[in-house]
Coordinates of all heavy atoms in Angstrom, one line a residue:
M127 N 0.9 -1.2 0.0 CA 0.0 0.0 0.0 C 0.9 1.2 0.0 O 1.8 1.4 0.8 CB -0.9 0.0 1.2 CG -1.9 1.1 1.2 SD -2.9 1.1 2.7 CE -4.3 0.0 2.2
T128 N 0.7 2.1 -0.9 CA 1.4 3.4 -1.0 C 1.0 4.4 0.1 O -0.1 4.2 0.7 CB 1.3 4.0 -2.3 OG1 0.0 4.5 -2.5 CG2 1.6 3.1 -3.5
R129 N 1.8 5.4 0.3 CA 1.4 6.3 1.3 C 0.1 7.1 0.9 O -0.7 7.4 1.7 CB 2.5 7.3 1.5 CG 2.3 8.2 2.7 CD 3.5 9.2 2.8 NE 4.7 8.5 3.2 CZ 5.9 9.2 3.4 NH1 5.9 10.5 3.3 NH2 6.9 8.5 3.7
H130 N 0.0 7.3 -0.4 CA -1.2 8.0 -0.8 C -2.5 7.2 -0.5 O -3.4 7.7 0.0 CB -1.1 8.3 -2.3 CG -2.3 8.9 -2.9 ND1 -2.6 10.2 -2.6 CD2 -3.3 8.4 -3.7 CE1 -3.8 10.5 -3.2 NE2 -4.2 9.5 -3.9
E131 N -2.4 5.9 -0.9 CA -3.6 5.1 -0.6 C -3.9 5.0 0.9 O -5.1 5.0 1.3 CB -3.3 3.7 -1.1 CG -3.5 3.5 -2.6 CD -3.0 2.2 -3.1 OE1 -2.2 1.6 -2.5 OE2 -3.4 1.8 -4.2
N132 N -2.9 5.0 1.7 CA -3.1 4.9 3.1 C -3.8 6.1 3.6 O -4.7 6.0 4.4 CB -1.7 4.9 3.8 CG -1.7 4.2 5.1 OD1 -2.8 3.7 5.5 ND2 -0.7 4.3 5.9
R133 N -3.5 7.3 3.0 CA -4.1 8.5 3.5 C -5.6 8.5 3.0 O -6.5 8.9 3.7 CB -3.4 9.7 2.9 CG -3.9 11.0 3.5 CD -3.2 12.2 2.9 NE -1.8 12.2 3.3 CZ -0.9 13.0 2.7 NH1 -1.3 13.9 1.9 NH2 0.4 12.9 3.0
E134 N -5.9 7.9 1.9 CA -7.2 7.8 1.4 C -8.1 7.0 2.3 O -9.2 7.3 2.7 CB -7.3 7.2 0.0 CG -6.8 8.1 -1.1 CD -7.7 9.3 -1.3 OE1 -8.9 9.1 -1.5 OE2 -7.2 10.4 -1.2
V135 N -7.5 5.9 2.8 CA -8.2 5.0 3.7 C -8.5 5.7 5.0 O -9.6 5.7 5.5 CB -7.4 3.7 4.0 CG1 -8.0 2.9 5.2 CG2 -7.3 2.9 2.8
L136 N -7.5 6.4 5.5 CA -7.7 7.2 6.8 C -8.8 8.2 6.6 O -9.6 8.3 7.5 CB -6.4 7.9 7.1 CG -5.5 7.2 8.2 CD1 -4.3 8.1 8.5 CD2 -6.3 6.9 9.5
R137 N -8.8 8.9 5.5 CA -9.8 9.9 5.3 C -11.2 9.3 5.3 O -12.2 9.8 5.8 CB -9.5 10.7 4.1 CG -10.3 12.0 4.0 CD -9.8 12.9 3.0 NE -9.9 12.3 1.7 CZ -9.4 12.9 0.6 NH1 -9.0 14.1 0.6 NH2 -9.5 12.3 -0.6
G138 N -11.3 8.1 4.7 CA -12.5 7.4 4.6 C -13.0 7.0 6.0 O -14.2 7.0 6.2
L139 N -12.1 6.7 6.9 CA -12.5 6.2 8.2 C -12.9 7.4 9.1 O -13.8 7.3 9.9 CB -11.4 5.4 8.8 CG -11.1 4.0 8.3 CD1 -9.9 3.4 8.9 CD2 -12.3 3.2 8.5
L140 N -12.1 8.5 8.9 CA -12.3 9.6 9.9 C -13.2 10.7 9.4 O -13.8 11.4 10.2 CB -10.9 10.2 10.1 CG -9.9 9.3 10.7 CD1 -8.5 10.0 10.9 CD2 -10.3 8.8 12.1
G141 N -13.3 10.9 8.1 CA -14.1 12.0 7.6 C -15.6 11.8 7.8 O -16.1 10.7 7.4
P142 N -16.3 12.7 8.5 CA -17.7 12.5 8.7 C -18.5 12.5 7.4 O -19.6 11.9 7.3 CB -18.1 13.6 9.7 CG -17.0 14.6 9.6 CD -15.8 13.9 9.0
E143 N -18.0 13.3 6.5 CA -18.7 13.4 5.2 C -18.4 12.3 4.2 O -19.3 11.7 3.6 CB -18.4 14.8 4.5 CG -18.7 16.0 5.4 CD -20.2 16.0 5.7 OE1 -21.0 15.6 4.9 OE2 -20.6 16.5 6.8
G144 N -17.2 11.9 4.1 CA -16.8 11.0 3.1 C -17.1 9.5 3.5 O -17.1 8.7 2.7
F145 N -17.3 9.3 4.8 CA -17.5 7.9 5.2 C -18.9 7.4 4.8 O -19.9 8.0 4.9 CB -17.4 7.9 6.8 CG -17.6 6.5 7.3 CD1 -16.6 5.6 7.1 CD2 -18.7 6.2 8.1 CE1 -16.8 4.3 7.7 CE2 -18.9 4.9 8.6 CZ -17.9 4.0 8.4
E146 N -18.8 6.1 4.4 CA -20.1 5.5 4.0 C -20.0 4.0 4.2 O -19.0 3.4 4.0 CB -20.3 5.7 2.5 CG -21.7 5.3 2.0 CD -21.9 5.6 0.5 OE1 -21.5 6.6 0.0 OE2 -22.4 4.7 -0.1
L147 N -21.1 3.5 4.7 CA -21.1 2.0 5.0 C -21.2 1.2 3.7 O -21.6 1.7 2.7 CB -22.4 1.7 5.8 CG -22.5 2.3 7.2 CD1 -23.8 1.9 7.9 CD2 -21.3 1.8 8.1
S148 N -20.9 0.0 3.8 CA -21.1 -0.9 2.7 C -22.5 -1.5 2.8 O -23.2 -1.3 3.8 CB -20.1 -2.1 2.7 OG -20.4 -2.9 3.9
C149 N -23.0 -2.1 1.7 CA -24.4 -2.6 1.8 C -24.5 -3.6 2.9 O -25.6 -3.7 3.6 CB -24.7 -3.3 0.4 SG -25.1 -2.2 -0.9
E150 N -23.5 -4.4 3.1 CA -23.5 -5.4 4.2 C -23.7 -4.8 5.5 O -24.5 -5.2 6.3 CB -22.2 -6.3 4.1 CG -22.5 -7.7 4.3 CD -21.2 -8.5 3.9 OE1 -20.3 -8.6 4.8 OE2 -21.1 -9.0 2.8
E151 N -22.9 -3.8 5.8 CA -22.9 -3.1 7.1 C -24.3 -2.4 7.2 O -24.8 -2.3 8.3 CB -21.8 -2.1 7.2 CG -20.4 -2.8 7.3 CD -19.3 -1.8 7.1 OE1 -19.4 -1.0 6.2 OE2 -18.3 -2.0 7.8
C152 N -24.7 -1.8 6.1 CA -26.0 -1.1 6.1 C -27.1 -2.0 6.6 O -27.9 -1.7 7.4 CB -26.2 -0.6 4.7 SG -27.8 0.3 4.6
F153 N -27.1 -3.2 5.9 CA -28.1 -4.2 6.2 C -28.1 -4.7 7.7 O -29.1 -4.8 8.4 CB -27.9 -5.4 5.3 CG -29.0 -6.5 5.4 CD1 -30.2 -6.3 4.9 CD2 -28.7 -7.7 6.1 CE1 -31.2 -7.3 5.1 CE2 -29.6 -8.6 6.3 CZ -30.9 -8.4 5.7
E154 N -26.8 -4.8 8.2 CA -26.6 -5.2 9.6 C -27.2 -4.3 10.6 O -27.6 -4.7 11.6 CB -25.1 -5.3 9.8 CG -24.6 -6.5 10.6 CD -23.1 -6.6 10.5 OE1 -22.6 -7.2 9.6 OE2 -22.5 -6.0 11.4
H155 N -27.1 -3.0 10.3 CA -27.5 -1.9 11.2 C -28.9 -1.4 11.0 O -29.3 -0.5 11.7 CB -26.5 -0.8 11.2 CG -25.1 -1.2 11.7 ND1 -24.9 -1.8 12.9 CD2 -23.9 -1.2 11.0 CE1 -23.6 -2.0 13.0 NE2 -23.0 -1.7 11.9
L156 N -29.5 -1.8 9.9 CA -30.8 -1.2 9.5 C -31.8 -1.2 10.6 O -32.5 -0.2 10.8 CB -31.2 -1.8 8.2 CG -32.3 -1.1 7.4 CD1 -31.8 0.3 7.1 CD2 -32.7 -1.8 6.2
D157 N -32.0 -2.4 11.2 CA -33.0 -2.5 12.3 C -32.8 -1.4 13.3 O -33.8 -0.8 13.7 CB -32.9 -3.9 12.9 CG -33.5 -5.0 12.1 OD1 -33.9 -4.7 10.9 OD2 -33.6 -6.1 12.5
R158 N -31.6 -1.4 13.8 CA -31.3 -0.4 14.9 C -31.5 1.0 14.4 O -32.0 1.8 15.2 CB -29.9 -0.7 15.4 CG -29.6 0.0 16.8 CD -28.5 -0.7 17.5 NE -27.2 -0.3 16.9 CZ -26.5 0.8 17.3 NH1 -26.9 1.5 18.3 NH2 -25.3 1.0 16.7
Y159 N -31.0 1.3 13.2 CA -31.1 2.6 12.7 C -32.6 3.1 12.6 O -32.9 4.1 13.1 CB -30.5 2.6 11.3 CG -30.5 4.0 10.7 CD1 -29.4 4.9 11.0 CD2 -31.4 4.4 9.8 CE1 -29.3 6.1 10.4 CE2 -31.4 5.7 9.2 CZ -30.3 6.5 9.5 OH -30.2 7.8 8.9
V160 N -33.5 2.2 12.1 CA -34.9 2.5 12.1 C -35.5 2.7 13.4 O -36.3 3.6 13.7 CB -35.6 1.4 11.3 CG1 -37.1 1.6 11.4 CG2 -35.2 1.5 9.8
E161 N -35.1 1.8 14.4 CA -35.6 1.9 15.7 C -35.2 3.3 16.3 O -36.1 3.9 17.0 CB -35.0 0.8 16.6 CG -36.0 -0.3 16.9 CD -35.3 -1.4 17.6 OE1 -34.6 -1.2 18.6 OE2 -35.4 -2.6 17.1
L162 N -34.0 3.7 16.2 CA -33.5 4.9 16.7 C -34.2 6.1 16.1 O -34.7 7.0 16.7 CB -32.0 5.1 16.5 CG -31.1 4.2 17.3 CD1 -29.7 4.2 16.8 CD2 -31.1 4.6 18.8
E163 N -34.4 6.0 14.8 CA -35.1 7.1 14.0 C -36.5 7.3 14.6 O -36.9 8.4 14.8 CB -35.2 6.7 12.6 CG -34.2 7.4 11.7 CD -34.5 7.1 10.2 OE1 -35.2 6.1 9.9 OE2 -34.1 7.9 9.4
L164 N -37.2 6.2 14.7 CA -38.6 6.2 15.1 C -38.7 6.6 16.6 O -39.7 7.1 17.0 CB -39.3 4.9 14.8 CG -39.4 4.6 13.3 CD1 -40.1 3.2 13.2 CD2 -40.1 5.6 12.6
A165 N -37.7 6.4 17.3 CA -37.7 6.7 18.7 C -37.3 8.2 18.9 O -37.3 8.7 20.0 CB -36.7 5.9 19.5
G166 N -36.9 8.9 17.8 CA -36.6 10.3 17.9 C -35.1 10.5 18.3 O -34.7 11.6 18.6
A167 N -34.3 9.4 18.3 CA -32.9 9.5 18.7 C -32.1 10.0 17.5 O -32.6 10.0 16.3 CB -32.4 8.2 19.2
N168 N -30.9 10.3 17.7 CA -30.0 10.7 16.6 C -29.4 9.5 16.0 O -28.3 9.1 16.3 CB -28.9 11.7 17.1 CG -28.2 12.4 16.0 OD1 -28.3 12.0 14.9 ND2 -27.6 13.5 16.3
A169 N -30.1 8.9 15.0 CA -29.7 7.7 14.4 C -28.4 7.9 13.6 O -27.6 7.0 13.5 CB -30.8 7.2 13.5
D170 N -28.3 9.1 13.0 CA -27.1 9.4 12.1 C -25.8 9.4 13.0 O -24.8 9.0 12.5 CB -27.3 10.7 11.4 CG -28.4 10.7 10.5 OD1 -28.5 9.6 9.8 OD2 -29.2 11.6 10.4
E171 N -26.0 9.9 14.2 CA -24.8 9.9 15.1 C -24.5 8.5 15.6 O -23.3 8.2 15.8 CB -25.0 10.9 16.2 CG -23.8 11.4 16.8 CD -24.1 12.6 17.7 OE1 -24.2 13.8 17.1 OE2 -24.3 12.4 18.9
A172 N -25.5 7.8 15.9 CA -25.3 6.4 16.4 C -24.7 5.5 15.4 O -23.9 4.6 15.7 CB -26.6 5.9 16.9
I173 N -25.1 5.6 14.2 CA -24.6 4.8 13.1 C -24.1 5.7 12.0 O -24.8 5.9 11.0 CB -25.7 3.8 12.6 CG1 -26.3 3.1 13.8 CG2 -25.1 2.8 11.6 CD1 -27.5 2.3 13.4
P174 N -22.8 6.2 12.1 CA -22.3 7.1 11.1 C -22.1 6.4 9.7 O -21.8 5.2 9.7 CB -20.9 7.5 11.6 CG -20.9 6.9 13.0 CD -21.9 5.8 13.1
G175 N -22.4 7.1 8.7 CA -22.3 6.6 7.3 C -23.5 6.0 6.8 O -23.6 5.7 5.6
M176 N -24.5 5.8 7.7 CA -25.7 5.1 7.2 C -26.5 6.0 6.3 O -26.9 5.5 5.2 CB -26.6 4.8 8.5 CG -27.8 4.0 8.2 SD -27.3 2.3 7.6 CE -28.6 1.4 8.4
R177 N -26.7 7.2 6.7 CA -27.5 8.1 5.9 C -26.9 8.3 4.5 O -27.6 8.4 3.5 CB -27.7 9.4 6.5 CG -28.9 10.2 5.9 CD -29.5 11.2 6.7 NE -28.5 12.2 7.3 CZ -28.8 13.4 7.6 NH1 -30.0 13.8 7.4 NH2 -27.9 14.2 8.1
A178 N -25.5 8.5 4.5 CA -24.8 8.7 3.2 C -25.1 7.5 2.3 O -25.3 7.6 1.1 CB -23.3 8.9 3.5
H179 N -25.0 6.3 2.9 CA -25.2 5.1 2.1 C -26.7 5.0 1.6 O -26.9 4.7 0.4 CB -24.9 3.8 2.9 CG -25.0 2.6 2.1 ND1 -24.0 2.2 1.2 CD2 -26.0 1.7 1.9 CE1 -24.4 1.1 0.6 NE2 -25.6 0.8 1.0
L180 N -27.6 5.3 2.5 CA -29.0 5.2 2.0 C -29.3 6.2 0.9 O -30.1 6.0 0.0 CB -29.9 5.5 3.2 CG -29.9 4.5 4.3 CD1 -30.8 4.9 5.5 CD2 -30.4 3.1 3.8
A181 N -28.6 7.4 1.0 CA -28.8 8.4 0.0 C -28.2 8.0 -1.4 O -28.7 8.3 -2.4 CB -28.2 9.7 0.4
G182 N -27.2 7.1 -1.3 CA -26.5 6.8 -2.6 C -26.8 5.4 -3.1 O -26.3 5.0 -4.1
C183 N -27.5 4.6 -2.3 CA -27.8 3.2 -2.7 C -29.3 3.0 -2.8 O -29.9 2.9 -1.8 CB -27.1 2.3 -1.7 SG -27.4 0.6 -2.1
P184 N -29.8 2.9 -4.0 CA -31.3 2.8 -4.2 C -31.8 1.5 -3.5 O -32.9 1.5 -2.9 CB -31.5 2.7 -5.7 CG -30.2 3.3 -6.3 CD -29.1 3.0 -5.3
A185 N -31.1 0.4 -3.5 CA -31.5 -0.8 -2.9 C -31.7 -0.7 -1.4 O -32.8 -1.1 -0.9 CB -30.6 -2.0 -3.3
C186 N -30.7 -0.2 -0.8 CA -30.8 0.0 0.7 C -31.8 1.1 1.0 O -32.5 1.0 2.1 CB -29.4 0.3 1.3 SG -28.3 -1.1 1.1
H187 N -31.9 2.1 0.2 CA -32.9 3.1 0.4 C -34.3 2.5 0.5 O -35.1 2.9 1.3 CB -32.8 4.2 -0.7 CG -33.7 5.3 -0.5 ND1 -33.3 6.4 0.2 CD2 -35.0 5.6 -0.9 CE1 -34.3 7.3 0.3 NE2 -35.3 6.8 -0.4
E188 N -34.5 1.6 -0.4 CA -35.8 1.0 -0.5 C -36.1 0.1 0.7 O -37.1 0.1 1.3 CB -36.0 0.2 -1.8 CG -37.4 0.1 -2.2 CD -37.4 -0.3 -3.7 OE1 -37.2 0.6 -4.6 OE2 -37.7 -1.4 -4.0
D189 N -35.0 -0.7 1.1 CA -35.1 -1.5 2.3 C -35.4 -0.7 3.5 O -36.3 -1.0 4.3 CB -33.7 -2.2 2.5 CG -33.6 -3.5 1.8 OD1 -34.6 -3.8 1.1 OD2 -32.6 -4.1 1.9
H190 N -34.8 0.4 3.6 CA -35.0 1.3 4.7 C -36.4 1.9 4.8 O -37.1 1.8 5.8 CB -34.0 2.5 4.6 CG -34.2 3.6 5.6 ND1 -34.7 4.8 5.2 CD2 -34.1 3.6 7.0 CE1 -34.8 5.6 6.3 NE2 -34.5 4.9 7.4
A191 N -36.9 2.3 3.6 CA -38.2 2.8 3.6 C -39.3 1.8 3.9 O -40.2 2.1 4.7 CB -38.5 3.4 2.2
S192 N -39.1 0.6 3.4 CA -40.1 -0.5 3.7 C -40.0 -0.9 5.2 O -41.0 -1.2 5.8 CB -40.0 -1.6 2.7 OG -38.8 -2.2 2.8
L193 N -38.8 -1.0 5.7 CA -38.7 -1.4 7.1 C -39.3 -0.4 8.0 O -40.0 -0.6 9.0 CB -37.2 -1.6 7.5 CG -37.0 -2.1 8.9 CD1 -37.6 -3.5 9.1 CD2 -35.5 -2.2 9.2
R194 N -39.1 0.9 7.6 CA -39.6 2.0 8.4 C -41.2 1.9 8.5 O -41.8 2.1 9.5 CB -39.2 3.3 7.8 CG -38.4 4.2 8.6 CD -38.1 5.5 7.9 NE -39.0 6.5 8.5 CZ -38.5 7.6 9.1 NH1 -37.3 7.8 9.2 NH2 -39.4 8.5 9.6
S195 N -41.8 1.8 7.3 CA -43.2 1.7 7.3 C -43.7 0.5 8.0 O -44.8 0.5 8.6 CB -43.8 1.9 5.9 OG -43.3 0.8 5.1
F196 N -43.0 -0.6 7.9 CA -43.4 -1.9 8.5 C -43.3 -1.7 10.0 O -44.3 -2.0 10.7 CB -42.4 -3.0 8.1 CG -42.6 -4.3 8.9 CD1 -43.7 -5.1 8.6 CD2 -41.8 -4.6 9.9 CE1 -43.9 -6.2 9.3 CE2 -42.0 -5.8 10.6 CZ -43.1 -6.6 10.3
V197 N -42.3 -1.2 10.6 CA -42.1 -1.0 12.0 C -43.2 0.0 12.5 O -43.8 -0.2 13.6 CB -40.7 -0.5 12.4 CG1 -40.6 -0.1 13.8 CG2 -39.7 -1.6 12.1
R198 N -43.4 1.0 11.8 CA -44.4 2.0 12.2 C -45.8 1.4 12.2 O -46.5 1.6 13.2 CB -44.3 3.2 11.2 CG -44.4 4.5 11.9 CD -44.7 5.6 10.9 NE -43.5 6.4 10.8 CZ -43.2 7.1 9.6 NH1 -44.0 6.9 8.6 NH2 -42.2 7.8 9.5
S199 N -46.2 0.7 11.2 CA -47.6 0.2 11.2 C -47.7 -0.9 12.2 O -48.7 -1.1 12.8 CB -47.9 -0.3 9.8 OG -47.1 -1.5 9.5
D200 N -46.6 -1.6 12.5 CA -46.6 -2.7 13.5 C -46.8 -2.1 14.9 O -47.5 -2.6 15.7 CB -45.3 -3.4 13.4 CG -45.4 -4.7 14.2 OD1 -46.4 -5.5 14.0 OD2 -44.5 -5.0 15.1
A201 N -46.2 -0.9 15.1 CA -46.3 -0.3 16.4 C -47.7 0.4 16.7 O -48.1 0.4 17.8 CB -45.2 0.7 16.6
S202 N -48.3 0.9 15.6 CA -49.5 1.6 15.8 C -50.8 0.8 15.7 O -51.8 1.2 16.1 CB -49.6 2.8 14.8 OG -49.6 2.2 13.5
E203 N -50.6 -0.4 15.1 CA -51.8 -1.3 15.0 C -52.0 -2.2 16.2 O -51.1 -2.9 16.6 CB -51.6 -2.2 13.8 CG -52.3 -1.7 12.6 CD -52.1 -2.5 11.3 OE1 -52.2 -3.7 11.4 OE2 -51.7 -1.9 10.3
P204 N -53.1 -2.0 16.9 CA -53.4 -2.9 18.0 C -53.7 -4.3 17.6 O -54.3 -4.5 16.5 CB -54.6 -2.2 18.7 CG -55.3 -1.4 17.6 CD -54.2 -1.1 16.5
R205 N -53.3 -5.2 18.4 CA -53.5 -6.6 18.0 C -54.7 -7.2 18.8 O -54.8 -7.0 20.0 CB -52.3 -7.4 18.4 CG -51.1 -6.8 17.8 CD -50.1 -7.9 17.4 NE -49.2 -7.3 16.4 CZ -48.3 -8.0 15.8 NH1 -48.2 -9.3 16.0 NH2 -47.5 -7.5 14.9
Ligands
ZN432 ZN1 -26.6 -0.5 -0.2

């Protein structure tokens, strides 16, 4: 690994803007992210990179949207 590449990796890890999760990580944290969101917590701070990934990945964006509406309707519907 060259010094230049090394710096790129570091910036990816440390930069709040440039950091983005992979689809796998996104999927792993999606449940918790939605829970935090619906609880009114700062989900973006709890799981950094999530929002950036959702904004840039249509597949995960859709997963997020459907999980959100699923959790919400599940919580509001009495059984
Ligand atoms: Zn994705």
Side-chain angles (χ1 to χ4, degrees):
M127 187 182 270
T128 69
R129 189 180 293 182
H130 176 71
E131 279 168 342
N132 206 8
R133 193 179 293 169
E134 288 294 304
V135 169
L136 261 183
R137 195 167 57 181
L139 289 175
L140 299 176
E143 296 303 325
F145 180 70
E146 191 181 316
L147 295 176
S148 67
C149 281
E150 220 167 84
E151 290 166 323
C152 176
F153 184 74
E154 219 170 274
H155 297 299
L156 194 58
D157 282 8
R158 196 159 72 92
Y159 185 82
V160 168
E161 256 173 49
L162 288 168
E163 254 188 341
L164 294 180
N168 195 342
D170 294 318
E171 203 165 272
I173 310 170
M176 188 65 142
R177 194 159 55 151
H179 184 79
L180 292 177
C183 178
C186 291
H187 183 87
E188 209 161 282
D189 273 1
H190 171 248
S192 61
L193 183 61
R194 243 183 102 117
S195 62
F196 173 76
V197 170
R198 219 191 254 152
S199 67
D200 194 50
S202 60
E203 263 174 51
R205 307 212 161 187

